[in-house]
Amino acid sequence: MNRSRILGAGHYVPERIVTNQELSEMMNTNDEWIVERTGIHERRWFTPGVDTVNNMAAKASRMAMERAGIEPSEVDFIVFATITSDYFLPGNGVLLQRELGLANIGALDVKNACSGFLYALTVADQFIKTGMYRKILVVGAEIQSSALDKSDEGRSSAVIFADGAGAVILGAVGQSEPGILSSHLHSDGAFAEELYCIAPSSSGEVRLSQEMIDRGDFFVKMNGNTVFKHAIVRFMEVINEALNHNGYTKDEIDLLVPHQANLRISQYVQQKLELPDEKVFNNIMYLGNTTAGTIPIALSQAWEQGRLKKGDLVCLAAFGSGFAWASVLLRW
Ligand code: COA
């Protein structure tokens, strides 16, 4: 059986920087509150007419392919994680296939929110292990800012979420090579309505009515407190599950790349695992929470900064809407 390995990672974030100061002009919030509760100083929001989920994903993908040293023609399959697809139908995988000119390869969309990229990576890993495909483009990309309620009512989520794209090339290597060691996927739908977005919805008479617009059904709704409490428990569980499964201890981790939900969540996990700062990668301070985008963006930046070296033990972990949570343990 093959093993799969990340051969290259790339990312793209929109040019528009939105500071906490700018947010405080839109809603009743302030820099001090946002920094203290979330660790975020600024984030990137898309520019309508310029950025799309598809074109950001394409930029990230081209960078990933270049760094992996592969031609687009070598990509066998696409797995695209997003909850903010450009169209309601079709998904973004096929748009990326078209944009990159990839000859009629299959494209799959994954809609698991903040854990979406780890679910996508795990699906790709299975295709490679079985030998069905040899090189898979795995993407996480989102435009969240157009689903944010920028009034006082929506301020707890409006200050957190942001836009951006990341991508990796997952390739087949021999069993003795470094690569993905294991994946652990979980969900608990009992909490679906703690972080969700109702519209457009298929189960109404029309998918988007004036009434739904007036009610703000197309805004992301989050019960931040509940999300926070569950996140810190599930992050710890799923990281320990990955370590135990492979017989490693927490001090053997070279780099933890947590989904960038909230800096306080990452710091809690770091503290519990007693990891020094250099072993935890965070970029939420200047990029916010880009949902499925955060982990591949972080991997791309960590690699650029020389924080990922061949053979490093890397733990990826995520928690979010669903609730769904996941971890992937790998040797870089
Ligand atoms: N600016 C200023 N005040 C705000 C605010 C904002 N942006 N958002 C909420 N508040 C207020 C609340 O209205 C509340 O005021 P009150 O005490 O007068 O009622 C107060 O701040 C505390 O609100 P609360 O929701 O209890 O704050 P919190 O400490 O839980 O922080 C979050 C809110 C959203 C930052 C926090 O719950 C969180 O980070 N949750 C996890 C979210 C997350 O990770 N989501 C992504 C999952 S992938």
Side-chain angles (χ1 to χ4, degrees):
M1 211 157 62
N2 290 323
R3 164 160 287 166
S4 63
R5 179 166 184 216
I6 294 177
L7 304 177
H11 73 280
Y12 178 81
V13 292
E15 281 183 10
R16 183 179 169 212
I17 297 173
V18 178
T19 62
N20 292 344
Q21 172 60 31
E22 231 179 303
L23 291 184
S24 70
E25 287 155 22
M26 300 176 204
M27 61 195 87
N28 182 13
T29 190
N30 57 75
D31 180 58
E32 201 190 342
W33 192 97
I34 301 171
V35 173
E36 191 194 308
R37 307 288 177 119
T38 71
I40 301 170
H41 292 262
E42 60 184 42
R43 75 285 291 139
R44 303 295 180 107
W45 281 1
F46 85 122
T47 301
V50 175
D51 304 300
T52 64
V53 171
N54 186 43
N55 70 25
M56 293 195 304
K59 286 174 188 160
S61 301
R62 288 194 183 100
M63 188 188 282
M65 288 189 282
E66 198 187 311
R67 288 174 174 177
I70 71 156
E71 294 298 321
S73 59
E74 292 177 62
V75 175
D76 299 318
F77 194 65
I78 297 170
V79 190
F80 198 128
T82 185
I83 50 163
T84 56
S85 48
D86 288 311
Y87 299 138
F88 191 73
L89 163 93
N92 260 92
V94 297
L95 301 184
L96 187 61
Q97 177 273 332
R98 178 177 67 186
E99 177 88 15
L100 297 175
L102 307 180
N104 294 16
I105 61 166
L108 173 73
D109 281 65
V110 169
K111 202 175 177 182
N112 280 59
C114 294
S115 320
F117 180 76
L118 294 191
Y119 271 78
L121 192 66
T122 301
V123 169
D125 181 40
Q126 308 314 305
F127 279 131
I128 286 179
K129 275 187 190 150
T130 59
M132 183 156 170
Y133 297 123
R134 291 196 63 80
K135 289 190 178 68
I136 302 182
L137 172 60
V138 189
V139 182
E142 308 278 4
I143 289 180
Q144 287 289 4
S145 60
S146 52
L148 299 177
D149 176 358
K150 295 163 189 119
S151 73
D152 292 358
E153 212 179 314
R155 62 186 177 171
S156 69
S157 20
V159 301
I160 289 180
F161 293 105
D163 310 333
V168 304
I169 297 294
L170 200 66
V173 294
Q175 271 297 338
S176 57
E177 293 280 310
I180 292 183
L181 301 172
S182 67
S183 300
H184 308 272
L185 309 177
H186 298 281
S187 72
D188 186 351
F191 298 95
E193 286 79 19
E194 299 295 332
L195 175 48
Y196 77 138
C197 181
I198 301 166
S201 164
S202 319
S203 38
E205 247 171 69
V206 289
R207 290 191 174 172
L208 192 59
S209 63
Q210 190 56 49
E211 212 185 325
M212 289 161 103
I213 293 173
D214 294 343
R215 266 201 314 262
D217 284 356
F218 55 92
F219 288 136
V220 170
K221 295 189 174 50
M222 177 176 77
N223 181 349
N225 240 289
T226 310
V227 173
F228 194 98
K229 284 179 194 146
H230 285 260
I232 56 176
V233 173
R234 297 308 192 183
F235 262 109
M236 289 309 300
E237 271 178 17
V238 82
I239 292 169
N240 283 323
E241 184 182 357
L243 291 172
N244 293 340
H245 182 87
N246 294 282
Y248 288 116
T249 57
K250 55 189 168 58
D251 17 277
E252 288 174 279
I253 296 175
D254 292 303
L255 193 67
L256 172 69
V257 182
H259 163 60
Q260 302 292 293
N262 177 323
L263 191 61
R264 280 162 59 214
I265 295 177
S266 298
Q267 286 169 340
Y268 174 91
V269 173
Q270 174 177 355
Q271 205 184 1
K272 283 275 169 200
L273 293 170
E274 298 173 309
L275 295 174
D277 288 351
E278 64 273 16
K279 287 192 172 188
V280 183
F281 191 87
N282 286 308
N283 59 16
I284 190 167
M285 305 78 80
Y286 56 96
L287 290 184
N289 177 343
T290 56
T291 312
T294 73
I295 291 182
I297 295 172
L299 286 174
S300 172
Q301 292 185 327
W303 178 82
E304 281 171 0
Q305 295 168 20
R307 292 178 68 179
L308 284 169
K309 289 173 283 303
K310 189 174 179 184
D312 277 356
L313 187 66
V314 181
C315 185
L316 314 177
F319 176 90
S321 170
F323 294 147
W325 60 101
S327 65
V328 171
L329 196 69
L330 58 90
R331 287 267 175 211
W332 186 257

